[in-house]
Amino acid sequence: MTALKLFGIVLFCGLLSPSQEVLSGLSCAVSPEAMQNVLSKAILQSGLLQRHLQGLVLPSILGNGGLLSAPTSITGLHLVKSQLPRLSVTLLSGIGVQLSIAAELELRGNCLVGLLSDLIDISVAVNITANIKCTNFESGTVQVVIEDCLCILGVIKINLLSGLLSLSVNEIVLNQLTSTLPGLLCPVVDIVVNLVNIHLMSTLNAMTPVGTAGTIHYQLASLPFTSGLFLGLDLDGVVQDVGGSIIPHDSSPSALPLLLDHLLVMGVRQSFLNAVVALMFQIPPQNLTCTPGAFSAASQLQEAITTIAPAECSICHGTRPLSIQLALAGNPLILLEENQATLKLSVLIRVFVKNLDGSILNLLLLKADLGLNVHVSIAGGKLVLGLSLGSTSISLESSDVGISNISMLQPHCSSLLVEQLLPLLNGALEVGIPLPNVLDIPLLKVDIQI
């Protein structure tokens, strides 16, 4: 199960210490179970380990024979396949990840005992344990270093096609594999782990489009850190418009709560959300024409203005249709409280008439301060915000015709904004905020906490 938090929003999929501070736009904690799933998929299920083991060629095994045994030579010993591979992961606090791989290797070669030539099959159980540490953080990437790689051999089974197997051959093979296999397998694991690291880093360092408004460039912000319960990742989310300008957001620390029984937890900062919503709300001013007698919010607003306009304003009381312009004022602001998200937004409502000479007569310039309820969901790996009107406060900015009392206009303005502006805002948000594909862990069965 996955999780998301809005302080933030938290998407719950993992385990996290309550004292861990978030230093960037997003922070993630990955459970040992999730890490095991990720590495098992990347190393075993993908066939990556098998492909690199396939080229494994062991040195020839030579035995001089003794008084009672013939000289022995085993050449061309190579890996046929690995059977029953299993992988387990342990998180080492302050160190990194301990990776254990157990498998049964099937080897084949040519065996010459005395003057008798035969095919030899060898089955050997191996258990490789390696401590993986992240180091050298630079520009959103890290290197991985394997420390203390240990390879232990288990049961070894040897078969000759003829079935004639002497004790001397068994002892020679056992001694040779014990001395050579660890030195061959640990470098293979090192190569595989570094290739996996390159792939997993690409899931953290990615630029994703936000509709046609711009992009978010996610990037690892610091070295990963581990406790015995989780692997922690801090990510920067650089928000950039199509012109290349960066929309800044605050990166001061926040604390994530203790999260249990999930694979991954992702914390999304309030300031980061505000930057992305500001990017998405690139909505130009909307111009409407009132049609007298029509059943629309704009026409109802015109009728209400006629009621409160001074008698000497002939245009106000005539049948000439008025024009209305809706324009966003300032940046949107998402406020996050426990189990509640609200978007604060100011809108200018200008009611005007365009004269025959081209001049503009402003009947009213109103400012509407909106409190919009925010519904949060996850769809297709994106954070989707949906808005509904919670509150509206209307204030008078100016009037060229002397209108001063606007108290009866508030319900008409609210209806106008719900009818004309709210669909535009929700349309801009429906593309969703793309979230990073952290370590290829899918955002499924997500619990969201605000």
Side-chain angles (χ1 to χ4, degrees):
M1 185 175 287
T2 305
L4 170 71
K5 176 159 186 179
L6 295 164
F7 358 96
I9 294 177
V10 179
L11 303 175
F12 288 99
C13 356
L15 301 167
L16 193 63
S17 163
S19 62
Q20 179 57 43
E21 288 188 331
V22 181
L23 300 176
S24 54
L26 297 92
S27 186
C28 309
V30 182
S31 73
E33 180 186 355
M35 282 303 303
Q36 183 163 308
N37 294 343
V38 166
L39 294 178
S40 181
K41 180 180 178 181
I43 294 175
L44 300 184
Q45 298 172 30
S46 68
L48 182 64
L49 179 62
Q50 175 70 31
R51 290 195 296 274
H52 282 80
L53 286 175
Q54 207 66 48
L56 197 65
V57 176
L58 281 76
S60 298
I61 299 176
L62 303 175
N64 295 325
L67 294 176
L68 302 178
S69 60
T72 302
S73 172
I74 300 175
T75 59
L77 198 60
H78 62 280
L79 180 76
V80 178
K81 61 181 176 180
S82 59
Q83 295 269 52
L84 305 173
R86 301 177 305 280
L87 182 147
S88 60
V89 167
T90 303
L91 299 182
L92 305 176
S93 181
I95 299 175
V97 175
Q98 185 178 81
L99 175 68
S100 295
I101 299 175
E104 187 174 303
L105 305 183
E106 293 188 8
L107 309 172
R108 179 168 294 171
N110 300 309
C111 181
L112 182 65
V113 181
L115 299 177
L116 299 175
S117 179
D118 207 347
L119 289 176
I120 187 170
D121 289 323
I122 303 172
S123 173
V124 53
V126 298
N127 196 307
I128 308 166
T129 302
N131 292 342
I132 304 172
K133 182 179 181 180
C134 292
T135 185
N136 295 338
F137 172 79
E138 183 178 359
S139 300
T141 62
V142 297
Q143 291 180 317
V144 293
V145 177
I146 289 186
E147 300 177 339
D148 305 322
C149 181
L150 179 65
C151 179
I152 299 176
L153 304 189
V155 177
I156 298 178
K157 299 176 183 178
I158 305 171
N159 293 303
L160 287 174
L161 188 62
S162 65
L164 300 175
L165 181 63
S166 67
L167 292 176
S168 61
V169 172
N170 191 79
E171 185 177 354
I172 290 169
V173 170
L174 179 62
N175 291 337
Q176 185 74 8
L177 292 182
T178 301
S179 62
T180 59
L181 260 185
L184 295 173
L185 293 177
C186 280
V188 170
V189 172
D190 184 72
I191 292 171
V192 167
V193 167
N194 275 280
L195 289 174
V196 169
N197 178 61
I198 292 171
H199 168 67
L200 295 182
M201 284 298 104
S202 71
T203 70
L204 303 176
N205 298 339
M207 184 173 291
T208 57
V210 185
T212 58
T215 59
I216 300 175
H217 185 191
Y218 290 111
Q219 189 174 50
L220 193 65
S222 60
L223 274 173
F225 49 91
T226 55
S227 73
L229 296 177
F230 67 91
L231 169 72
L233 303 164
D234 279 336
L235 301 179
D236 282 332
V238 179
V239 183
Q240 196 168 24
D241 64 24
V242 289
S245 299
I246 293 175
I247 301 176
H249 63 273
D250 175 37
S251 294
S252 58
S254 295
L256 285 174
L258 181 66
L259 305 171
L260 301 173
D261 302 325
H262 296 87
L263 296 178
L264 166 74
V265 58
M266 182 186 300
V268 184
R269 288 184 53 80
Q270 175 177 288
S271 57
F272 171 73
L273 290 173
N274 282 323
V276 182
V277 172
L279 172 70
M280 301 171 85
F281 278 1
Q282 303 298 316
I283 298 175
Q286 301 297 303
N287 293 310
L288 313 171
T289 300
C290 301
T291 303
F295 189 75
S296 68
S299 298
Q300 297 298 315
L301 179 59
Q302 175 171 353
E303 292 179 9
I305 291 173
T306 302
T307 303
I308 63 172
E312 59 269 19
C313 178
S314 58
I315 292 179
C316 301
H317 296 281
T319 57
R320 187 174 174 183
L322 305 182
S323 295
I324 299 177
Q325 183 182 79
L326 304 178
L328 303 186
N331 290 323
L333 176 64
I334 290 182
L335 299 177
L336 300 171
E337 303 169 287
E338 187 172 356
N339 300 321
Q340 179 179 327
T342 305
L343 190 144
K344 301 294 186 181
L345 184 66
S346 294
V347 181
L348 293 178
I349 305 174
R350 186 163 70 110
V351 183
F352 63 96
V353 174
K354 190 172 183 180
N355 295 315
L356 295 177
D357 61 2
S359 62
I360 299 294
L361 178 67
N362 287 315
L363 275 61
L364 279 174
L365 180 60
L366 306 173
K367 182 181 179 184
D369 293 316
L370 307 181
L372 302 172
N373 301 320
V374 182
H375 173 72
V376 184
S377 61
I378 294 290
K382 297 180 179 181
L383 182 66
V384 181
L385 308 180
L387 305 177
S388 61
L389 185 62
S391 63
T392 309
S393 176
I394 305 294
S395 58
L396 176 64
E397 296 289 297
S398 64
S399 172
D400 292 348
V401 295
I403 297 175
S404 58
N405 184 2
I406 60 167
S407 58
M408 67 176 298
L409 299 184
Q410 175 139 337
H412 302 290
C413 289
S414 296
S415 298
L416 176 68
L417 295 171
V418 169
E419 182 182 288
Q420 298 293 333
L421 183 64
L422 206 53
L424 294 175
L425 299 178
N426 280 317
L429 294 174
E430 69 180 2
V431 298
I433 301 172
L435 296 172
N437 183 27
V438 175
L439 305 183
D440 280 338
I441 300 174
L443 292 175
L444 302 175
K445 298 181 181 179
V446 179
D447 293 332
I448 298 177
Q449 182 187 98
I450 303 175

